[in-house]
Amino acid sequence: NRKKSMKIVVRLLAGLLLTVLLPLTAQAADDPFIGAWQLDIARSTIADNPGVKSKQFVFAPSADGVLITETLELLAEDGKKHVSQIPYSYGQVTPQAGPGIDGLLVVKADSHTAYWTAIGGGKILSQMQVVVSSDRTQMTFRYLWAAGDPTGSRFNDRYVYVPVTKG
């Protein structure tokens, strides 16, 4: 009897796990942002580059939407890597734990374009357009508006990311 009960429990747990994982797999297949992306500094235009040596985003499906793991390495810090996580759900403000912003609103305009709005202290701090090319060979970030940049100098910046290839 006990063996039979354990088999039933295992089957129920497996079914529950599949119920949770299958929608995430479908979401990942439909979302061109999902994956690992490396900043291509040579193809990017960054007016005030703080000395970025490398930067990588990994967009992964999560139970609540998408979780980005960002890894940043600066030239002046001799190989030290900064890792942060940025959660978001499309179409709603997602609270952020990092310094500088309280929330992030990500809205998809179409299947390959999203607008990111950073919110701090109840005010909009900046807005970026993020576009993944239809062939998924590049993802480009560009500022549309930034409260900390009244001159608009950031508007010419383009952060170009390419898919990470396994070496």
Side-chain angles (χ1 to χ4, degrees):
N1 246 354
R2 188 170 213 176
K3 229 180 203 182
K4 192 174 185 179
S5 294
M6 281 304 289
K7 283 183 181 182
I8 291 171
V9 169
V10 168
R11 285 183 181 154
L12 285 173
L13 287 174
L16 181 61
L17 188 60
L18 284 174
T19 302
V20 170
L21 292 178
L22 285 177
L24 293 177
T25 303
Q27 175 188 354
D30 293 342
D31 192 339
F33 296 91
I34 299 296
W37 299 89
Q38 180 74 36
L39 179 65
D40 186 333
I41 295 172
R43 292 172 52 194
S44 297
T45 303
I46 307 170
D48 296 316
N49 187 342
V52 174
K53 180 177 180 183
S54 69
K55 186 172 182 179
Q56 184 179 87
F57 286 126
V58 177
F59 289 70
S62 71
D64 297 324
V66 177
L67 180 64
I68 303 170
T69 301
E70 175 187 34
T71 304
L72 173 66
E73 186 178 4
L74 298 172
L75 291 169
E77 294 185 349
D78 197 28
K80 180 180 178 187
K81 293 186 179 184
H82 302 269
V83 178
S84 59
Q85 293 193 317
I86 307 162
Y88 71 84
S89 294
Y90 290 113
Q92 63 186 19
V93 176
T94 306
Q96 300 297 311
I101 68 170
D102 304 332
L104 178 65
L105 172 63
V106 178
V107 177
K108 271 192 167 181
D110 59 43
S111 63
H112 288 80
T113 306
Y115 293 95
W116 291 21
T117 303
I119 300 165
K123 297 179 181 177
I124 295 175
L125 301 176
S126 64
Q127 188 174 44
M128 296 183 87
Q129 179 187 53
V130 184
V131 178
V132 175
S133 62
S134 59
D135 60 0
R136 287 189 40 89
T137 59
Q138 128 177 348
M139 178 170 59
T140 305
F141 286 71
R142 73 178 183 92
Y143 277 97
L144 300 176
W145 185 84
D149 183 19
T151 64
S153 65
R154 288 188 192 170
F155 300 157
N156 294 322
D157 285 0
R158 298 288 181 275
Y159 302 84
V160 177
Y161 292 80
V162 294
V164 173
T165 55
K166 302 287 182 202

